[in-house]
Amino acid sequence: MASSQPPIAPLEYQALLFDLDGTLLDTADDLGAALNTVLRNHQHPEVSRDIYRPAASNGAAALLAAGFKESWAQQPQEQLLQELVTQYAANIATYTRCFVGIEQLLIALDNKAIPWGIMTNKPGFLTDPLVKAIPALKSARIVISGDTLAESKPSPLPLLYCAEKMNVDPSHCLYIGDAQRDIQAGKAANMHTATALWGYVPSVDEALAWNADFNWHSPIDVFNHI
């Protein structure tokens, strides 16, 4: 479902900005492996991909809640959060890959001299080594993490900061993400928004209700707008 605001002409986009987990990178299996290690260490059954994948964009607490299920409220949550982060940081790019089509898209943006950047709620101590480990992300003009500024998404502040540092008009930026907070932040920053339906959306119907300007099933769909 598109918004009532008509999109600007594709060539008027001065920059594209991306969320990281669930948009550029499929990080779910590394996050799931860390979760299952914690579950094993605490004598809980491991969970399958269909359980941890939908929680992958929502942070460590959401992953642990998906893993421990109804017993999560009774667990030593701060301890488990630290264990999960430690496990994940130690194996941050074992299974992580770009989603199919992302590498070609980023190459096309570089070839067209359209700058692009990353704005994620992932903390910087995890974002920086992960981005460094993925060669396809090396030409990002800017990488902003959830703790770079005083506010994170759904606040528009990090996106506005990206636009300022890239010297582009926010209204001529396109922000692509797979969570409702991504679309909320983009709209609040007066950017055009696109939902990455290939990512960790709760369901297509729920994602369409976020009313992004675009709803794309594949990174290849972005080619029509650059």
Side-chain angles (χ1 to χ4, degrees), residues 7 30 44 103 132 156 197 203 221:
D30 280 321
H44 277 259
E103 291 190 48
K132 186 176 180 179
L197 296 176
S203 72
D221 294 331

Side-chain angles (χ1 to χ4, degrees), residues 1-225:
M1 181 183 300
S3 74
S4 59
Q5 181 184 18
I8 59 177
L11 293 180
E12 291 184 28
Y13 286 129
Q14 297 175 352
L16 270 68
L17 294 167
F18 298 89
D19 179 43
L20 188 60
D21 298 61
T23 301
L24 290 175
L25 298 181
D26 189 352
T27 56
D29 288 340
D30 280 321
L31 290 162
L35 171 63
N36 281 329
T37 298
V38 172
L39 291 170
R40 284 195 309 271
N41 289 345
H42 291 268
Q43 292 75 54
H44 277 259
E46 296 183 24
V47 293
S48 62
R49 199 169 192 262
D50 64 319
I51 299 297
Y52 64 69
R53 185 178 174 85
S57 268
N58 295 322
L63 279 164
L64 288 163
F68 282 92
K69 301 176 182 174
E70 63 275 359
S71 71
W72 173 233
Q74 287 74 52
Q75 299 299 322
Q77 296 187 6
E78 289 302 319
Q79 174 191 332
L80 293 173
L81 284 165
Q82 186 57 55
E83 288 181 24
L84 177 65
V85 170
T86 299
Q87 288 291 336
Y88 177 58
N91 302 280
I92 201 164
T94 301
Y95 304 114
T96 291
R97 300 290 184 273
C98 289
F99 283 100
V100 173
I102 286 293
E103 291 190 48
Q104 297 94 320
L105 171 61
L106 299 181
I107 289 170
L109 289 171
D110 290 340
N111 288 341
K112 291 175 178 287
I114 300 174
W116 61 273
I118 299 168
M119 198 285 111
T120 174
N121 270 9
K122 207 180 193 80
F125 78 94
L126 296 175
T127 300
D128 294 342
L130 177 57
V131 170
K132 186 176 180 179
I134 307 297
L137 305 184
K138 67 181 183 300
S139 61
R141 296 288 183 89
I142 192 168
V143 178
I144 299 298
S145 299
D147 55 0
T148 301
L149 304 176
E151 299 176 15
S152 58
K153 297 177 293 188
S155 167
L157 184 63
L159 289 176
L160 293 172
Y161 181 81
C162 287
E164 179 184 358
K165 290 299 182 182
M166 296 173 77
N167 195 30
V168 296
D169 185 333
S171 67
H172 285 202
C173 291
L174 176 65
Y175 185 52
I176 305 171
D178 69 315
Q180 185 175 19
R181 64 180 171 271
D182 298 327
I183 307 308
Q184 291 172 331
K187 287 178 175 291
N190 195 33
M191 294 183 179
H192 285 81
T193 57
T195 303
L197 296 176
W198 62 83
Y200 309 137
V201 296
S203 72
V204 171
D205 286 343
E206 186 171 338
L208 294 179
W210 302 338
N211 292 318
D213 295 292
F214 306 104
N215 297 285
W216 290 325
H217 290 273
S218 164
I220 301 302
D221 294 331
V222 189
F223 277 83
N224 294 325
H225 296 266

